[in-house]
Amino acid sequence: METDESSRMLPFQLQFDKPLASQITIAEWNPEKDLLAMVTDDSKILLHRFNWQRLWTIAPGKCITSLCWRPDGKAIAVGLDDGMVSLHDVENGKLLRSLKSHCAAIICLNWEEESQLITDDHGYTSKYEDRTSRFFPPAPRVPRMPGLVSGDNGFMDDSEDSFQELSNSSHQRFNILCSADKDGNICFSIFGIFPIGKVNIHNLTFPTCHDGAETTNRVSNASIQKVALSKDLCRLIVMCSGDLVKVGADLGETNMAGYNEHGLHCLALNTTIFWNRKNELHQVAQQASNIEDLTEVVRTSLSVMCRQWSDAMNTFQEKFSSLSTLIINHGLDSSPQEELLSLLGGARTSPPVHQFLVNTLGEVGVKRISKVLSGAGKELQRIVLDHLQPAVEVIGFRIGELRGLSRWRARYHSIGLDESLINNATEKAGTLLVQVERFMRVLSSVVQQYSNFFNWLLKCIKLLMSEPSDQLLPYNSELVIIFLKFLYEQDPVKQLLEISEIEYEVEIDLETMQRVRELVQFGGFSDIEYLRRTLAKEFQLMELSFKEAFQMPFTTISRKILCEDILPLFPVPTLPKSSSFMRIPTSVSYYEDSSGASVTPQTGQNQFIDYVSFQVPDECFSDIINCLCIVRGFMHDSHCLKKGCSTLEAVLLHVPVDYQCVDLSLYKDSQIVLLLNKVTNTSESAGDGCMVILQASDLPYISISRSAHIDVWRLPELKDSVAYLHIEDEKARTIPHSVVAPLAVSASRGVACVFAARKRALVYILEEDEDEVSDAE
């Protein structure tokens, strides 16, 4: 009988059955290429081709909790247990960017792009053009920090081009990366790199009319299971566990009487702001993300310059500190400057100066220190010309672009682009550019002063040693005097570069300050005190102004993401974090309604129908055993409820009693893939596995009544119309192993990867068409 059942199952083509060194916990197919990313139980990421050739392996050194691909397949987002989201290049696994938007472990990630191209008011396809490349060469990269390994500063090696492609979003479709953590926070990032919003599901409320009175409800003690943004970016479905409570006028929470409110719930969040203002958000994110990249270039440049100059000055001070010691040892009450000035004036050379110049320092020592300082000065000038100054110039241009957009209040005020904050940031970028130019003049002057001083010292050493000095470079006595009075014990370069606890103020003459005040009347900087600040301080102020300017869109968008609907799925009598609950298979996906019967009000495009699938735990309802539930139209139903109608449909699918659902995944054309294990009577462990594909849209759905009472579990309404899964009548394949989650299905490639309990990976071709199989190979 068992042989007959196996023969009736339509087999998929098995491509590979490969052993694994570690068990796989997460697996995702690349949406555009035959690539499979897998996370092992020891938190390594493996990338394999369809032929199982491994391309690369990376180990972030932290526990990996989630994974998802960018829609174009060129980058992969990795969620970590410390709240970090890292983006990696698909070609080599190199780190592209690290984002710290969360303070708790990332539970799930979802990256979605707009399904329709951006069109203007006349219906023509429009594309935002970044004009920066017209006026500037390619943006400078982060300078190499001495002793820094590539990737340690959160950015990839400057020899790679992928980072530039990540930031250049002009030619990308508008896309949003959603990340959710275990504390209930959901963050939204445009292009995966620019944070644009954040909500906490504990604070999301949904008003309903209960017993004739309007009440406000929320999910308390919530734990997010899955998030899925619709393809039109207008809705976000959140599956979470928690307690459904009413919120009183005093903000107190009360349980809803008569029901077990703790369980799995579905929330529909309104994110239409992403679609309605995607053109504006695209432009702001393009400029702001590039400004943040260039800000990192400036920060690292200042850090590298400060370290290199400090190393050079330490060499100078270590050598010349011995002169002070010699003066004290000889019982003199003078300073090194006074002794050297006496030498310059032609007076008798004191014993400590003679000993220092001839014996301690010597000609070789002077030349070595001169070379170190000269080299440091040239390196600082190179960093300024190749990295710092170009970065500040491009920042000024890009913030100027945003300044122009902010003045279009009708379009950009609604997304939080505040004109006054952008104006302030623009001014700070301009003052920083002035500070960079001043720093170059100061640096050039200081290096020249040191060079002149060392030329004089070489001349003195030659004279003291009665050696010819005709071949030495000339020196300027007046510059030597200035050096000994103002630079010997002071370091104006370090003061401009370094942030210290003591606020350093640059001295500015009265005439210059008067000119700065007069320039205000002709459009000059309103902050007339900027010349008194150091370069490092000016950068701090510019960075703060950018943070304030970009925080406003973040706050504005966050306030516009609201909860529209709550659908209780099933109660959970056990604790929300019990192991049985956390392993419940769930899946959320969207398919376009090709019939054209429904149209999205916000976009005017065909409606995307959402399918929410999950396993119903046996302990939830006494009369619903070993069943899966598929709910469709929840997102669309949220809009219909406002008109007094309901379009929500659902079906219960009964799995044969000798099978247990391990995982499920929605497939293309409204199909669902089930991964089952055969339950044996002789052992508690599962037997062989089975993979089944069935047409979800052909199941006998029935409408679910939606009343104002949201505190009612609707699944019992379906128990009288349960659909039974007959494996022998479906497209199915037995698997000669006990299988485990996850099930990785590629809708674009028509393949599935199944993992066995004994550390094996099996890749199947889901399509029967031979041409597709050969193409995949």
Side-chain angles (χ1 to χ4, degrees):
M1 180 61 110
E2 185 174 343
T3 305
D4 294 340
E5 181 182 350
S6 301
S7 63
R8 288 195 300 268
M9 292 187 177
L10 299 177
F12 306 111
Q13 180 179 347
L14 175 63
Q15 285 295 109
F16 301 104
D17 184 351
K18 299 289 186 179
L20 296 169
S22 303
Q23 195 65 51
I24 302 300
T25 58
I26 306 172
E28 293 287 344
W29 285 98
N30 187 297
E32 296 293 331
K33 302 178 182 179
D34 291 325
L35 300 174
L36 177 64
M38 297 173 288
V39 178
T40 63
D41 53 6
D42 55 351
S43 287
K44 293 180 181 178
I45 304 178
L46 317 176
L47 186 70
H48 283 247
R49 291 189 185 275
F50 179 72
N51 60 7
W52 213 247
Q53 174 192 1
R54 184 179 299 185
L55 296 183
W56 47 257
T57 301
I58 59 174
K62 301 174 184 176
C63 180
I64 300 174
T65 54
S66 53
L67 192 78
C68 81
W69 287 97
R70 197 169 79 174
D72 62 4
K74 294 182 179 180
I76 188 169
V78 180
L80 304 175
D81 64 348
D82 63 350
M84 187 78 71
V85 177
S86 59
L87 306 182
H88 296 264
D89 183 18
V90 65
E91 297 296 333
N92 47 31
K94 290 275 186 144
L95 179 67
L96 298 174
R97 179 73 65 87
S98 293
L99 302 174
K100 183 67 173 178
S101 300
H102 299 267
C103 297
I106 307 296
I107 297 299
C108 53
L109 295 167
N110 176 243
W111 207 334
E112 194 62 60
E113 69 178 1
E114 57 168 337
S115 58
Q116 302 291 335
L117 291 175
I118 299 176
T119 56
D120 57 20
D121 296 335
H122 302 286
Y124 298 108
T125 300
S126 60
K127 180 173 61 177
Y128 171 58
E129 179 188 4
D130 185 3
R131 303 191 305 164
T132 311
S133 59
R134 292 187 184 182
F135 309 101
F136 295 91
R141 300 294 181 87
V142 176
R144 179 77 66 181
M145 182 81 76
L148 182 67
V149 178
S150 176
D152 288 354
N153 59 349
F155 289 82
M156 67 181 301
D157 195 320
D158 57 7
S159 64
E160 304 290 344
D161 296 326
S162 300
F163 175 73
Q164 191 73 15
E165 190 277 331
L166 179 74
S167 298
N168 183 17
S169 53
S170 297
H171 303 286
Q172 290 186 38
R173 284 189 175 186
F174 184 72
N175 58 72
I176 300 286
L177 173 63
C178 305
S179 55
D181 64 32
K182 70 175 184 179
D183 289 342
N185 295 300
I186 304 174
C187 295
F188 305 87
S189 301
I190 300 178
F191 306 118
I193 59 178
F194 180 66
I196 195 59
K198 183 177 183 179
V199 295
N200 188 292
I201 59 173
H202 300 105
N203 301 326
L204 294 175
T205 59
F206 178 66
T208 60
C209 184
H210 192 95
D211 296 333
E214 185 171 313
T215 61
T216 301
N217 310 278
R218 71 167 51 148
V219 179
S220 180
N221 301 320
S223 176
I224 297 176
Q225 306 296 314
K226 190 179 294 291
V227 295
L229 190 63
S230 62
K231 296 184 183 298
D232 57 9
L233 309 181
C234 291
R235 295 290 186 277
L236 178 74
I237 289 182
V238 181
M239 296 185 72
C240 65
S241 63
D243 302 320
L244 193 58
V245 298
K246 292 189 297 184
V247 181
D250 58 351
L251 300 181
E253 296 180 353
T254 58
N255 291 333
M256 297 185 179
Y259 299 94
N260 176 10
E261 301 82 15
H262 179 76
L264 188 69
H265 309 277
C266 225
L267 308 183
L269 273 58
N270 185 334
T271 59
T272 53
I273 185 66
F274 293 141
W275 173 271
N276 294 337
R277 294 299 179 187
K278 62 179 180 179
N279 289 14
E280 294 84 353
L281 290 171
H282 188 134
Q283 296 178 58
V284 171
Q286 170 72 29
Q287 298 293 355
S289 60
N290 277 277
I291 287 174
E292 291 181 346
D293 297 341
L294 293 167
T295 301
E296 182 65 27
V297 174
V298 176
R299 178 187 297 105
T300 307
S301 297
L302 294 176
S303 179
V304 172
M305 292 162 60
C306 187
R307 177 181 297 185
Q308 293 191 344
W309 184 256
S310 296
D311 291 343
M313 290 305 299
N314 287 337
T315 302
F316 173 82
Q317 293 167 1
E318 287 174 2
K319 187 60 77 171
F320 277 78
S321 61
S322 60
L323 177 57
S324 301
T325 304
L326 290 172
I327 293 174
I328 296 174
N329 293 340
H330 281 79
L332 301 179
D333 190 21
S334 57
S335 64
Q337 296 96 311
E338 292 173 342
E339 291 294 328
L340 292 174
L341 283 172
S342 176
L343 177 63
L344 178 65
R348 184 179 64 86
T349 305
S350 63
V353 173
H354 187 281
Q355 181 180 349
F356 172 74
L357 294 178
V358 175
N359 300 329
T360 305
L361 188 59
E363 181 180 354
V364 175
V366 172
K367 289 182 178 180
R368 187 176 69 85
I369 299 174
S370 177
K371 183 179 180 180
V372 169
L373 278 167
S374 176
K378 291 179 180 179
E379 182 63 17
L380 264 62
Q381 290 175 339
R382 185 195 66 81
I383 293 176
V384 171
L385 295 176
D386 293 347
H387 299 275
L388 180 59
Q389 187 168 350
V392 177
E393 290 174 349
V394 178
I395 286 175
F397 178 83
R398 289 191 177 277
I399 196 66
E401 294 280 86
L402 286 178
R403 184 183 186 186
L405 297 178
S406 68
R407 294 183 176 181
W408 195 351
R409 294 179 58 84
R411 295 189 63 177
Y412 291 90
H413 183 71
S414 61
I415 64 170
L417 198 63
D418 187 88
E419 183 178 356
S420 61
L421 294 177
I422 295 295
N423 286 341
N424 180 54
T426 305
E427 178 169 305
K428 289 297 181 287
T431 55
L432 181 63
L433 183 58
V434 174
Q435 293 276 16
V436 171
E437 294 176 350
R438 181 176 68 175
F439 174 79
M440 282 293 285
R441 293 196 299 269
V442 172
L443 176 63
S444 178
S445 175
V446 169
V447 172
Q448 182 183 3
Q449 295 271 17
Y450 271 101
S451 177
N452 182 76
F453 175 67
F454 292 135
N455 289 339
W456 172 69
L457 286 181
L458 285 174
K459 187 83 171 180
C460 294
I461 292 174
K462 288 289 187 180
L463 293 175
L464 291 175
M465 298 180 66
S466 301
E467 295 180 358
S469 58
D470 299 338
Q471 302 299 322
L472 297 179
L473 295 174
Y475 65 91
N476 187 311
S477 301
E478 294 182 359
L479 293 181
V480 174
I481 295 174
I482 294 174
F483 176 86
L484 292 174
K485 286 186 175 182
F486 301 104
L487 294 180
Y488 186 84
E489 289 185 344
Q490 297 183 28
D491 188 357
V493 174
K494 183 179 179 181
Q495 290 172 343
L496 292 176
L497 289 176
E498 190 177 61
I499 291 292
S500 61
E501 297 180 358
I502 302 176
E503 193 73 23
Y504 176 76
E505 188 175 278
V506 180
E507 295 183 3
I508 303 297
D509 60 89
L510 296 178
E511 182 180 356
T512 301
M513 289 302 300
Q514 181 60 31
R515 290 180 180 178
V516 171
R517 293 188 184 95
E518 293 173 354
L519 287 175
V520 176
Q521 303 175 6
F522 300 95
F525 301 126
S526 59
D527 182 5
I528 62 174
E529 297 295 324
Y530 70 95
L531 287 178
R532 299 185 186 276
R533 295 192 288 267
T534 65
L535 176 61
K537 183 63 177 179
E538 199 65 45
F539 171 69
Q540 269 193 341
L541 294 179
M542 185 194 75
E543 195 172 22
L544 179 61
S545 69
F546 287 162
K547 183 178 180 180
E548 293 175 348
F550 298 152
Q551 182 67 28
M552 186 60 70
F554 181 90
T555 304
T556 302
I557 298 300
S558 299
R559 292 173 179 171
K560 295 188 176 184
I561 299 175
L562 305 174
C563 182
E564 281 193 338
D565 199 0
I566 299 178
L567 177 65
L569 298 178
F570 57 78
V572 179
T574 56
L575 294 176
K577 295 185 179 180
S578 64
S579 58
S580 61
F581 181 80
M582 297 300 289
R583 288 198 299 264
I584 292 177
T586 58
S587 178
V588 181
S589 190
Y590 300 86
Y591 299 103
E592 185 174 2
D593 186 3
S594 57
S595 65
S598 57
V599 176
T600 305
Q602 293 80 10
T603 66
Q605 307 292 337
N606 287 344
Q607 173 75 45
F608 286 92
I609 304 299
D610 56 280
Y611 284 78
V612 179
S613 307
F614 54 91
Q615 183 183 25
V616 182
D618 293 346
E619 60 267 24
C620 296
F621 303 102
S622 59
D623 47 1
I624 300 179
I625 304 298
N626 205 24
C627 284
L628 306 175
C629 182
I630 305 175
V631 180
R632 70 177 181 183
F634 172 56
M635 181 181 68
H636 184 56
D637 191 61
S638 302
H639 176 72
C640 294
L641 279 178
K642 299 178 181 178
K643 299 181 179 180
C645 60
S646 175
T647 60
L648 187 66
E649 297 178 317
V651 63
L652 280 178
L653 181 64
H654 183 269
V655 178
V657 293
D658 53 345
Y659 283 93
Q660 181 181 17
C661 182
V662 175
D663 203 356
L664 53 86
S665 177
L666 288 172
Y667 186 45
K668 62 182 180 180
D669 300 327
S670 307
Q671 294 178 330
I672 185 170
V673 182
L674 303 179
L675 187 61
L676 310 175
N677 261 337
K678 193 173 183 63
V679 179
T680 60
N681 296 326
T682 58
S683 173
E684 295 181 358
S685 61
D688 291 343
C690 176
M691 184 166 56
V692 183
I693 292 185
L694 64 151
Q695 192 69 29
S697 57
D698 293 340
L699 294 173
Y701 291 90
I702 66 171
S703 297
I704 295 182
S705 61
R706 299 294 305 280
S707 66
H709 297 270
I710 66 169
D711 54 332
V712 178
W713 308 107
R714 302 295 178 182
L715 292 189
E717 300 178 13
L718 307 175
K719 63 182 181 180
D720 295 331
S721 56
V722 175
Y724 290 87
L725 174 64
H726 299 285
I727 298 179
E728 64 274 10
D729 296 336
E730 303 294 343
K731 186 179 178 182
R733 169 71 182 254
T734 55
I735 301 173
H737 303 281
S738 174
V739 293
V740 295
L743 167 65
V745 177
S746 172
S748 61
R749 300 297 172 180
V751 296
C753 185
V754 176
F755 299 98
R758 296 182 178 179
K759 297 182 181 180
R760 301 194 68 85
L762 298 89
V763 178
Y764 291 93
I765 300 289
L766 300 182
E767 303 291 342
E768 292 182 341
D769 188 82
E770 295 181 357
D771 294 335
E772 292 189 17
V773 173
S774 60
D775 291 342
E777 293 176 348

